[in-house]
Amino acid sequence: MSEQGVPVITIDGPGGSGKGTLAGMLAARLGWHLLDSGALYRLLALAAHNHGADLTNEEMLTGLAAHLDVQFIAAEGDQEQRTVLEGEDVSRAIRTETIGAGASRVAALPAVRQALLARQQAFREMPGLVADGRDMGTVVFPDAQLKIFLTASPEIRAERRYRQLLEKGETASLAGLLDEINARDERDMNRSIAPLRPAEDAILIDSSHMSIENVLETVQAEARKRNLLG
Ligand code: C5P
């Protein structure tokens, strides 16, 4: 099956394409482990903030990345996975736009990515792993059995984010969100290390006009073709 015998499905793409939701649903459907790699970069940005580290100080950030004290507590019932940093539940704190932008900055540092690589690969455990991120299929799990690259137009992604924020009772500007999405895409796609791009053997899905159920069905059909569905 693979070098380590543990199957992996990678889901890469820009933020707001629906990949987080898809990865969570797919992992639950298959009974596999879930790696939300973006959360690791977000956690590092938050840890840097808590420890007063400058986001350009590569040495200090790499040290923080190597010793990040994190626990992911699996979802139970209709609860979402919880994320704990240095003993504190930060599941919500890491989801702000500011932390997202910080994550994208620390993620551009090669030594930081290297420091987080083994930690991500350690999530590959039986019976299988669904890995969500930007470079899962290209760098972290190049031998994955199924690679998905999920996109959606920047306008649709900004709208989805806008609705999510309103539902949470927060205020937001649609134009501001679109600007942030474009700036983040620009940084993620043009960085010299592990830029956001589909693996050569990835299946491209544009979710702009698809429901999440439709996307899930499409991915399950691909998984079935590869004998990954039990
Ligand atoms: O997916 P999420 O929005 O949580 O990711 C936050 C940031 O972390 C992204 O904008 C990206 O810069 C970075 N990231 C990355 N590689 C990954 C996952 C996330 O560079 N595998």
Side-chain angles (χ1 to χ4, degrees):
M1 179 154 273
S2 73
E3 274 164 29
Q4 293 128 313
V6 180
V8 182
I9 298 178
T10 59
I11 302 178
D12 289 305
S17 56
K19 69 191 162 60
T21 312
L22 171 67
M25 289 170 85
L26 190 61
R29 161 76 180 77
L30 297 174
W32 286 12
H33 300 280
L34 175 66
L35 166 62
D36 171 4
S37 61
L40 287 174
Y41 292 97
R42 288 172 179 270
L43 283 159
L44 180 58
L46 182 62
H49 174 81
N50 292 346
H51 291 274
D54 194 285
L55 292 189
T56 56
N57 186 339
E58 187 161 5
E59 205 181 321
M60 189 165 172
L61 291 168
T62 306
L64 280 175
H67 300 107
L68 214 50
D69 170 13
V70 177
Q71 282 169 280
F72 292 104
I73 300 174
E76 260 182 55
D78 54 8
Q79 275 187 334
E80 286 190 9
Q81 168 176 280
R82 284 194 300 125
T83 308
V84 177
L85 175 66
E86 292 166 6
E88 191 189 338
D89 187 336
V90 295
S91 314
R92 285 186 70 116
I94 57 166
R95 295 294 154 199
T96 66
E97 294 304 314
T98 314
I99 292 295
S104 154
R105 290 179 60 192
V106 299
L109 303 171
V112 163
R113 302 197 75 87
Q114 188 58 36
L116 292 178
L117 187 62
R119 188 181 280 247
Q120 295 173 78
Q121 288 170 338
F123 278 78
R124 187 175 197 165
E125 282 189 56
M126 280 301 202
L129 175 69
V130 178
D132 156 10
R134 302 290 190 289
D135 62 341
M136 299 295 98
T138 49
V139 177
V140 183
F141 303 107
D143 64 337
Q145 281 70 18
L146 173 58
K147 299 178 184 179
I148 303 293
F149 194 84
L150 193 62
T151 57
S153 72
E155 290 74 19
I156 296 270
R157 289 188 280 136
E159 253 176 62
R160 286 179 184 164
R161 183 77 187 128
Y162 181 69
R163 264 185 273 130
Q164 270 176 1
L165 290 171
L166 290 194
E167 272 166 27
K168 281 197 241 160
E170 291 171 34
T171 51
S173 132
L174 190 55
L177 287 173
L178 184 57
D179 285 349
E180 274 166 32
I181 281 177
N182 282 326
R184 183 116 66 99
D185 282 1
E186 169 79 18
R187 206 165 30 227
D188 288 350
M189 289 190 291
N190 294 314
R191 66 182 177 214
S192 55
I193 178 148
L196 173 63
R197 62 170 175 80
E200 272 174 20
D201 49 350
I203 292 173
L204 270 75
I205 302 176
D206 182 342
S207 75
S208 297
H209 304 290
M210 285 171 88
S211 69
I212 190 69
E213 286 76 19
N214 279 336
V215 177
L216 183 64
E217 273 166 29
T218 309
V219 173
Q220 280 185 325
E222 294 296 338
R224 202 169 290 119
K225 280 190 215 162
R226 291 164 178 77
N227 290 324
L228 295 172
L229 289 193

